[in-house]
């Protein structure tokens, strides 16, 4: 990530979210489910996603945990089909066994919301298979959030905790160029923490890793809207956040609605006279 307001930004990559959970593709049998997921992944790529982030376990507060076996059965056929189409696939999992199966099926990024803390085998696995690794800021599962969501100053606390994570991941043998960080918006964070993190994304520059931000449709965005606003009304504020994060120099945005975020990045590009900050 380059310095906020600096000149050498590349256009952030859009990572399209593909949740392969029964509630996201509810009707029909297994094949319909896989086909629908693959079709959705292809659609997101057509709209501008450079990566498809496939997840088989919801991390939302109150969601039922699934076994790594069920998670694998959900995601592997989808990962394999998308990878076979030449798409860069990320696997969103906290389980090393799921990550291993997904990488076998063609995934090139492991996105772990626990940053390798949940599964003690994760870091060694990622080091061995030599793929990119997203270390998201995490303070534990959602049933513990009440007890762990206080911060002295979120941007510094999160930065320092991510630095400790990166040290451990490097120690486990993951190459520095493979590492990404993510502030983990909404994970053990109150709305004000999320906004503070977004307003101070440049704090993460010092970590020397690429930065991914996942604000898409999160509850703290919903808090800006009327109570009865449907979920997709969060896409416009999500895209605005993406534009501002792009100006701050982030490397990737994880979003549900790729189309609106791609348009927002087009605006940033036009405004700046092209990525790299050419003269107006
Ligand atoms: N958020 C969710 C799931 N996975 N991964 C990363 N790296 N960053 C995030 O912010 C993140 C994530 C939860 O959101 P969803 O339920 O909308 O997928």
């Amino acid at each position: 990530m380059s310095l906020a307001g600096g000149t050498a930004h590349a256009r952030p990559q859009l990572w399209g979210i593909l949740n392969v959970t029964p509630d996201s593709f509810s009707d029909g049998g297994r094949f319909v489910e896989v086909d629908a997921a693959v079709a959705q992944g292809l659609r997101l790529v057509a709209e501008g996603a450079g990566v498809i982030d496939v997840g088989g376990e919801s991390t939302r507060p109150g969601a039922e945990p699934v076994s790594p076996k069920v998670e694998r059965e959900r995601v592997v056929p989808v990962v394999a089909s998308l990878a076979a189409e030449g798409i860069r696939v990320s696997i969103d999992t906290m389980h090393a066994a799921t990550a291993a199966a997904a990488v076998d099926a063609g995934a090139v990024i492991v996105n772990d919301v626990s940053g390798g803390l949940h599964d003690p085998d994760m870091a060694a696995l990622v080091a061995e298979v030599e793929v990119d690794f997203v270390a998201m800021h995490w303070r534990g599962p959602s049933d513990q959030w009440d007890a762990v969501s206080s911060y002295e100053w979120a941007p510094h606390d999160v930065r320092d905790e991510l630095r400790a994570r990166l040290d451990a991941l490097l120690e486990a043998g993951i190459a520095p160029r493979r590492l990404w960080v993510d502030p983990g918006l909404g994970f053990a964070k109150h709305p004000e923490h999320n906004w503070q993190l977004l307003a101070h994304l440049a704090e993460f520059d010092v970590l020397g890793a690429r930065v991914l931000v996942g604000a898409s449709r999160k509850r703290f965005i919903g808090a800006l809207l009327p109570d009865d606003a449907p979920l997709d009304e969060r896409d416009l504020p999500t895209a605005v956040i993406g534009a501002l994060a792009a100006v701050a120099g982030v490397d990737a945005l994880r979003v549900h609605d790729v189309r609106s975020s791609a348009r927002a990045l087009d605006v940033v590009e036009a405004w700046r006279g092209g990525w790299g900050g050419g003269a107006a």
Side-chain angles (χ1 to χ4, degrees):
M1 177 168 159
S2 55
L3 290 172
T7 54
H9 303 161
R11 180 180 172 113
Q13 204 170 40
L14 291 173
W15 293 22
I17 299 169
L18 188 57
N19 287 323
V20 193
T21 46
D23 42 332
S24 46
F25 295 98
S26 50
D27 52 24
R30 189 74 197 116
F31 291 112
V32 175
E33 220 173 86
V34 171
D35 281 355
V38 170
Q40 169 71 356
L42 292 170
R43 195 156 43 237
L44 294 174
V45 169
E47 290 174 354
V51 168
I52 298 298
D53 187 40
V54 178
E57 178 182 31
S58 176
T59 52
R60 283 182 192 286
E64 280 289 301
V66 294
S67 72
K69 182 172 175 292
V70 170
E71 186 190 27
R72 271 199 306 281
E73 287 167 2
R74 286 179 183 169
V75 296
V76 164
V78 177
V79 170
S81 299
L82 292 173
E85 299 279 344
I87 293 168
R88 285 176 63 76
V89 178
S90 157
I91 177 70
D92 185 345
T93 184
M94 296 193 289
H95 303 118
T98 302
V103 169
D104 250 6
V108 292
I109 302 167
V110 174
N111 171 28
D112 180 351
V113 298
S114 82
L117 284 168
H118 176 81
D119 186 334
D121 296 332
M122 183 62 99
L125 178 270
V126 173
E128 187 193 324
V129 296
E130 297 185 5
V131 293
D132 279 12
F133 185 70
V134 180
M136 200 195 79
H137 177 260
W138 192 73
R139 284 186 167 180
S142 58
D143 57 358
Q144 294 172 18
W145 287 356
D146 281 348
V148 296
S149 53
S150 68
Y151 297 83
E152 197 154 311
W153 173 238
H156 286 172
D157 296 354
V158 169
R159 178 200 62 196
D160 294 347
E161 289 165 38
L162 282 174
R163 182 185 285 124
R165 241 349 21 234
L166 290 180
D167 288 347
L169 295 164
L170 291 166
E171 181 75 16
I174 301 179
R177 70 188 164 85
R178 295 289 188 191
L179 288 168
W180 293 72
V181 290
D182 180 327
L185 299 173
F187 286 76
K189 293 166 189 98
H190 297 308
E192 68 269 23
H193 300 136
N194 298 313
W195 293 114
Q196 288 160 1
L197 287 162
L198 285 167
H200 295 274
L201 286 170
E203 290 293 344
F204 300 104
D205 283 348
V206 296
L207 298 175
R210 283 169 290 173
V211 177
L212 170 69
V213 167
S216 188
R217 292 187 182 173
K218 286 195 173 156
R219 203 176 293 176
F220 73 100
I221 295 177
L224 300 173
L225 301 169
D227 283 348
D228 59 350
L231 217 51
D232 62 6
E233 281 212 26
R234 299 181 186 182
D235 290 333
L236 173 56
T238 297
V240 175
I241 289 172
L244 294 166
V247 172
V250 304
D251 301 283
L253 301 162
R254 180 182 178 277
V255 296
H256 297 88
D257 184 53
V258 168
R259 179 184 293 270
S260 55
S261 286
R263 290 298 77 76
L265 294 180
D266 291 344
V267 171
V268 178
E269 177 169 12
W271 183 290
R272 297 173 65 92
W275 296 102

